[in-house]
Amino acid sequence: EDQVTQSPEALRLQEGESSSLNCSYTVSGLRGLFWYRQDPGKGPEFLFTLYSAGEEKEKERLKATLTKKESFLHITAPKPEDSATYLCAVQAGFGYGNKLVFGAGTILRVKS
Amino acid sequence: NAGVTQTPKFQVLKTGQSMTLQCAQDMNHEYMSWYRQDPGMGLRLIHYSVGAGITDQGEVPNGYNVSRSTTEDFPLRLLSAAPSQTSVYFCASSVNRDFGEQYFGPGTRLTVT
């Protein structure tokens, strides 16, 4: 069964304190791994797609990396506005249709 | 562009009632999906569509029905509401067949009493 596990469940950081969020997965045939950001009361917002081990993507203070078993979302010198829930999802299998599996998310709080 | 819109934003139903959650997108995306989000769980796929007239079941389809008569609209019907359907519902659309980069609506918070 395809599974996505995110850790930690919650993370509190001081402004400027860099850290990483983890997304580990077990899937049959990874087609892609996706990171989303979700603010309270809103829908998820797409951040990154990673397709193969070794791939990296960056956006402002965020950097996503991918290995064969997990992905990391590195947050460098975070600001309070980076506070949100970060969701990881994987697309598994081949063929027709949507097989996107989401993790439960990591709630990030950045204090000034 | 308005992106993905959903109505209503909040809804309270009694057990056994039926209703339709509306979803529309103005980006001419072929692919649309419905998810539910429950505390401590990831988003779970209910139904999806790869184009007008084509729909398929996701992970948790029981108790829900969909149709796709136009590219823009993808309504979700609750046939006979149950307390287990209390959740936040999100509609999403994607231009990519692999559903990778999805655009989500603001959600509908549904409570079934």
Side-chain angles (χ1 to χ4, degrees):
Chain A
E1 183 181 337
D2 300 329
Q3 276 193 318
V4 177
T5 304
Q6 292 189 246
S7 61
E9 290 185 12
L11 182 62
R12 290 189 176 190
L13 299 174
Q14 287 295 124
E15 184 173 3
E17 179 187 3
S18 302
S19 188
S20 297
L21 312 183
N22 178 264
C23 171
S24 62
Y25 61 90
T26 53
V27 296
S28 53
L30 179 71
R31 298 190 74 176
L33 185 141
F34 312 95
W35 282 98
Y36 286 82
R37 169 192 170 124
Q38 186 174 23
D39 293 304
K42 296 190 176 181
E45 177 186 350
F46 171 77
L47 291 173
F48 302 112
T49 303
L50 300 167
Y51 288 111
S52 57
E55 189 174 359
E56 298 181 351
K57 293 277 181 71
E58 284 189 72
K59 181 179 180 179
E60 296 180 355
R61 295 175 294 281
L62 301 177
K63 179 180 177 180
T65 62
L66 180 65
T67 72
K68 288 187 177 181
K69 293 184 178 181
E70 58 191 349
S71 176
F72 292 94
L73 185 65
H74 307 278
I75 304 175
T76 303
K79 298 183 178 181
E81 53 261 42
D82 294 322
S83 297
T85 297
Y86 290 86
L87 304 174
C88 170
V90 298
Q91 186 170 21
F94 294 90
Y96 190 73
N98 180 350
K99 298 186 186 298
L100 208 59
V101 179
F102 279 85
T106 293
I107 302 170
L108 174 65
R109 292 288 178 260
V110 182
K111 289 195 169 184
S112 58
Chain B
N1 286 351
V4 179
T5 58
Q6 292 182 239
T7 56
K9 193 162 181 63
F10 300 96
Q11 182 71 49
V12 179
L13 290 178
K14 294 188 176 181
T15 297
Q17 287 184 317
S18 62
M19 78 159 295
T20 299
L21 306 186
Q22 301 292 343
C23 174
Q25 54 93 6
D26 62 359
M27 297 173 284
N28 202 33
H29 288 171
E30 288 188 68
Y31 309 99
M32 297 185 73
S33 307
W34 275 103
Y35 294 88
R36 59 178 290 171
Q37 187 173 40
D38 301 295
M41 303 183 72
L43 287 156
R44 291 183 293 168
L45 181 67
I46 305 171
H47 284 285
Y48 66 97
S49 169
V50 297
I54 306 171
T55 64
D56 205 347
Q57 296 181 352
E59 181 186 356
V60 288
N62 292 342
Y64 307 95
N65 203 358
V66 292
S67 60
R68 184 105 178 265
S69 57
T70 67
T71 299
E72 294 77 21
D73 299 300
F74 190 41
L76 178 72
R77 297 183 191 84
L78 277 70
L79 308 173
S80 177
S84 60
Q85 293 179 305
T86 293
S87 187
V88 181
Y89 291 85
F90 289 101
C91 177
S93 74
S94 171
V95 68
N96 186 303
R97 175 177 180 155
D98 288 338
F99 288 83
E101 182 176 341
Q102 297 195 44
Y103 294 83
F104 283 81
T108 294
R109 182 173 293 275
L110 175 68
T111 302
V112 183
T113 62

